[in-house]
Amino acid sequence: MTDVMPWSFTIEFDAEKAAHNGYDVETLYEYVDKNVQQFGVTRLALGTWKANEDNRVESQCRSLSFLSRQKWVMQNVTSLTAFERSTKPIDYIGIVEDLFPERICA
């Protein structure tokens, strides 16, 4: 994993959950990459993306919102951590649990 930087996010998938749901984690990371590219984020490493420098807030927020609405993400995710203005981690799964509990898969 790369060093943590402002305006980036990391996602970690659970290999056991993924296998149970018919996925392998490498495929899930590829799905994430293909889907969030539309918002201008750039993949830095496996599980880590950086927001578009020209539009950091919009590119990151739209990416995270999109991912939290995907069943294939929420069924298999272990953690989704965002970094905004600093390198202080933000538990995005916790935010989803608070604001959109219907998106959380047991």
Side-chain angles (χ1 to χ4, degrees):
M1 185 173 156
T2 61
D3 292 331
V4 172
M5 64 177 55
W7 296 107
S8 67
F9 64 90
T10 61
I11 188 167
E12 183 179 344
F13 290 109
D14 182 304
E16 190 174 309
K17 283 183 189 177
H20 176 75
N21 291 312
Y23 297 98
D24 64 64
V25 292
E26 289 79 18
T27 300
L28 291 170
Y29 289 118
E30 290 303 317
Y31 287 171
V32 169
D33 192 47
K34 288 178 184 173
N35 281 281
V36 299
Q37 283 180 14
Q38 66 183 314
F39 305 116
V41 298
T42 304
R43 189 180 202 171
L44 298 177
L46 184 68
T48 303
W49 286 264
K50 183 180 187 312
N52 180 324
E53 283 298 319
D54 296 328
N55 204 351
R56 296 179 297 199
V57 175
E58 184 175 347
S59 67
Q60 180 150 309
C61 291
R62 290 181 72 198
S63 295
L64 294 171
S65 177
F66 172 85
L67 292 172
S68 75
R69 288 182 273 119
Q70 306 310 306
K71 188 173 182 177
W72 56 267
V73 171
M74 299 307 288
Q75 282 182 322
N76 303 298
V77 70
T78 298
S79 67
L80 181 51
T81 306
F83 303 91
E84 292 183 352
R85 293 176 185 85
S86 70
T87 56
K88 181 181 177 191
I90 299 165
D91 176 11
Y92 196 77
I93 297 297
I95 291 170
V96 172
E97 286 175 334
D98 290 345
L99 300 176
F100 308 103
E102 68 278 5
R103 295 182 187 174
I104 301 298
C105 297

